[in-house]
Amino acid sequence: MSLCSDVYLNLFYQQFISFEPSESWSTHGNSGMFENSTELKAMYMDNLAYNHQANVLIANELKLAGRKNPDPILKYCLMYEHLLEKGFIEKGAKFLLLFIGGDALKQNKQTLVDRELALCHKRPRKYQHLLRPELLEIVDHLEVASISWAAFIEFNNHYLAENSVCQVEQKLLRGFHQSLESKSFMQLAV
């Protein structure tokens, strides 16, 4: 995501959340640089994209062959709260948690949140930091969506066919497809 153009990111994310397109995307992978700059030590996220002008934060949760973790929605809400407190995002930022995996999610946001809350209530000592009312307000604000790897590749193919894309971005997306399609979990999906 960090190598894709702002045009690509606008088109891709507008499938899942509404915002005015702009050319101010910043993306961050799970790296020590993110951890050190945000002072957020225990958040293992895959990729974040933030559009400063549109004030929208996207958390991309990538799942190769595995299942969704038991508590990502609440943890991402905790991260949102932290980024807001540190001034990395602006107040009122739209927030999307996008799961990218073998299949699209079959449950709606409320069902997923209810399961996470049930887990937290079973183990309140471990999860007390996720049971605060302030986080539940962020949950209400959060949008959850998903896309399968196959649909992601299909989007990329349409993007390449319908837009004037520079050679570097063409190579990036085609290389991504080749790499992804060679993975064993993609072979099982066919």
Side-chain angles (χ1 to χ4, degrees):
M1 295 294 193
S2 60
L3 298 176
C4 290
S5 68
D6 289 335
V7 170
Y8 172 90
L9 295 174
N10 285 331
L11 291 171
F12 181 67
Y13 291 134
Q14 283 180 320
Q15 299 176 95
F16 310 104
I17 190 169
S18 63
F19 62 90
E20 287 296 319
S22 70
E23 297 180 1
S24 66
W25 285 101
S26 300
T27 59
H28 305 277
N30 187 8
S31 68
M33 189 184 325
F34 175 82
E35 187 176 297
N36 290 332
S37 64
T38 62
E39 300 174 347
L40 189 58
K41 302 291 183 207
M43 184 67 205
Y44 300 105
M45 51 79 178
D46 292 323
N47 179 275
L48 293 178
Y50 180 60
N51 187 309
H52 304 275
Q53 291 174 340
N55 199 24
V56 62
L57 177 68
I58 313 289
N60 299 292
E61 181 70 9
L62 311 177
K63 293 295 168 201
L64 300 180
R67 291 188 170 163
K68 180 182 95 48
N69 294 337
D71 58 357
I73 294 173
L74 295 173
K75 283 184 178 175
Y76 275 105
C77 289
L78 185 68
M79 180 202 66
Y80 179 96
E81 178 184 59
H82 184 80
L83 293 176
L84 190 59
E85 287 172 0
K86 292 286 186 180
F88 283 91
I89 60 175
E90 293 181 32
K91 187 171 176 74
K94 287 185 172 187
F95 186 26
L96 170 69
L97 174 54
L98 178 61
F99 290 94
I100 305 172
D103 295 313
L105 292 175
K106 292 173 179 46
Q107 298 88 13
N108 65 20
K109 177 181 106 173
Q110 192 57 53
T111 301
L112 295 170
V113 170
D114 289 345
R115 286 183 184 166
E116 289 189 26
L117 288 171
L119 170 73
C120 292
H121 286 294
K122 284 181 186 174
R123 301 173 71 189
R125 175 178 252 137
K126 179 178 180 180
Y127 292 109
Q128 65 185 353
H129 63 289
L130 297 178
L131 292 171
R132 294 180 296 107
E134 299 86 0
L135 283 187
L136 297 180
E137 290 176 22
I138 296 170
V139 167
D140 290 340
H141 176 74
L142 169 73
E143 296 185 42
V144 175
S146 67
I147 186 171
S148 69
W149 289 114
F152 192 15
I153 290 171
E154 187 177 324
F155 170 83
N156 289 341
N157 287 334
H158 286 289
Y159 173 77
L160 288 169
E162 296 171 4
N163 295 281
S164 296
V165 180
C166 75
Q167 184 179 9
V168 172
E169 195 169 32
Q170 288 176 27
K171 286 182 176 183
L172 170 75
L173 292 174
R174 288 187 181 123
F176 171 73
H177 295 169
Q178 289 171 350
S179 173
L180 186 60
E181 288 171 340
S182 70
K183 306 290 183 205
S184 61
F185 68 87
M186 288 295 286
Q187 306 306 316
L188 297 172
V190 177

